[in-house]
Amino acid sequence: MRERYRIKGDGSGAAGLQTQQPAALEPLTTILSGQATALGPALFYMFEGGSLRVTHVAVDHPLTYAQFSEQHLMHATLARVRSPSRPAQPGPGRDRRGSISFTPGGRDRSGFADQGEIRGVEIGLAADFVQDACEQRLPAGWGSAFNVENAKAFSFAEQIATAVQSPHCDRLMADTLLHALARHVGQVYGRADRRRDDAWLHPAALARIIAQLKAEPAVPISLGDMSRTAGLGISAFLRAFRGTVGTTPAAFARKVRLDHAAGLLRSSDHSIGDIATMSGFASAPHLVRTFQQYRNQTPGAWRRTRRV
């Protein structure tokens, strides 16, 4: 009997997150055989360019399934506890902690899961989002994978899942990590070109950099400070940051300051000059010029549109 599989639960999730996933973005999953039960509510996270779902299920009977999504789909097994009566079997294709599966958008996928508990994260990435992250149009002929080892992709998935499950989800951190994951996916499965000097920054180090920038946005942070936080020399840090995020540390720091200024414009009555100081800009005119350059509006006009 074929059954459309829905993880059941009350839909609750971490504070501030959207916990209901629009049907248009939800992958169509069909159970072909076996049975699974949700051990808790699924957590949904919507972001510009895709969606994410963290689940915890018990596979009551060995499960085979088929899945289809218009978006690129990546699955990561965050934790796996097998049934004592069915120990792990050797060989490829076994769902275990650290396993990564990737299916290009618009392509059918089939899979299986042995008995036991599985905690995992499923990330849907829109094709345009991945192309923007890679800064290029990507050719046809995407690759796919099922339950393989990809330490970099898993590191991103695990760090993102931790971020969105936090009681105070840091959207900037989660969205930056998702952008970096999309860049990695495009390079590994979509054959995106890389600059020769691009390297890779571990997502835990990237998370530390973001936290450092957000902690005191009014205080300038030098390139040396950021590289030490990442545990790298300056040259290696520049290559790693650019290769992972797709921009320079200075440009990213500017975005953090602009986001902080936008938050103050929306939620406070501080003057533009005060907000400039509180956000690390040299003066009110400096904030106005930068804000207009990146958001196509002056801070005052942006504030009025957000308070209508």
Side-chain angles (χ1 to χ4, degrees):
M1 176 180 178
R2 291 175 177 252
E3 176 185 356
R4 174 75 180 275
Y5 177 58
R6 302 283 190 185
I7 293 182
K8 298 179 180 179
D10 61 10
S12 62
L17 298 186
Q18 183 172 343
T19 57
Q20 293 185 349
Q21 190 173 22
L25 294 179
E26 184 178 1
L28 176 63
T29 305
T30 304
I31 299 298
L32 303 176
S33 64
Q35 182 178 338
T37 304
L39 297 179
L43 184 148
F44 295 113
Y45 180 81
M46 311 303 300
F47 59 96
E48 184 178 356
S51 61
L52 176 149
R53 181 172 68 172
V54 181
T55 59
H56 186 192
V57 301
V59 179
D60 306 306
H61 302 287
L63 195 70
T64 60
Y65 60 90
Q67 193 170 42
F68 178 84
S69 173
E70 294 293 345
Q71 296 185 334
H72 303 309
L73 277 185
M74 197 191 85
H75 300 72
T77 302
L78 303 174
R80 183 70 163 96
V81 179
R82 297 186 182 277
S83 169
S85 61
R86 291 181 65 86
Q89 300 295 317
R94 298 291 169 182
D95 50 327
R96 59 195 180 279
R97 170 176 161 77
S99 294
I100 291 291
S101 297
F102 177 79
T103 307
R107 188 182 300 180
D108 289 317
R109 171 180 183 267
S110 60
F112 62 88
D114 288 335
Q115 277 180 259
E117 293 183 21
I118 302 176
R119 189 167 63 85
V121 57
E122 175 184 85
I123 302 172
L125 300 166
D128 288 347
F129 180 71
V130 177
Q131 289 195 149
D132 288 346
C134 294
E135 305 170 274
Q136 61 191 271
R137 290 191 62 81
L138 299 179
W142 280 65
S144 61
F146 184 73
N147 283 349
V148 301
E149 291 186 5
N150 183 327
K152 293 181 180 180
F154 179 74
S155 294
F156 278 117
E158 186 174 43
Q159 196 76 34
I160 292 163
T162 299
V164 301
Q165 291 179 96
S166 168
H168 304 287
C169 176
D170 186 331
R171 290 199 68 96
L172 174 64
M173 184 173 298
D175 289 354
T176 302
L177 290 167
L178 283 159
H179 185 276
L181 172 65
R183 190 173 176 85
H184 176 70
V185 162
Q187 292 165 353
V188 174
Y189 302 108
R191 296 182 293 166
D193 294 329
R194 298 186 60 178
R195 289 177 21 154
R196 290 188 177 183
D197 61 344
D198 278 352
W200 182 73
L201 183 66
H202 194 283
L206 178 57
R208 292 197 301 271
I209 296 294
I210 297 169
Q212 182 181 31
L213 290 168
K214 292 191 69 176
E216 296 183 281
V219 178
I221 298 176
S222 71
L223 191 57
D225 289 338
M226 284 192 276
S227 64
R228 281 188 289 274
T229 297
L232 297 170
I234 290 179
S235 295
F237 173 68
L238 283 170
R239 293 194 302 272
F241 195 94
R242 173 65 176 77
T244 301
V245 180
T247 189
T248 65
F252 186 80
R254 186 184 307 116
K255 180 185 184 304
V256 172
R257 293 197 299 271
L258 282 170
D259 287 347
H260 182 72
L264 291 173
L265 288 166
R266 183 189 296 111
S267 62
S268 77
D269 293 319
H270 291 299
S271 69
I272 302 300
D274 286 344
I275 290 175
T277 300
M278 296 164 70
S279 302
F281 290 90
S283 63
H286 183 206
L287 172 59
V288 171
R289 287 195 306 272
T290 307
F291 202 95
Q292 191 163 22
Q293 179 183 357
Y294 286 89
R295 302 215 173 192
N296 298 316
Q297 281 184 301
T298 65
W302 191 88
R303 170 181 265 174
R304 287 191 294 273
T305 61
R306 295 309 185 276
R307 292 192 170 186
V308 173

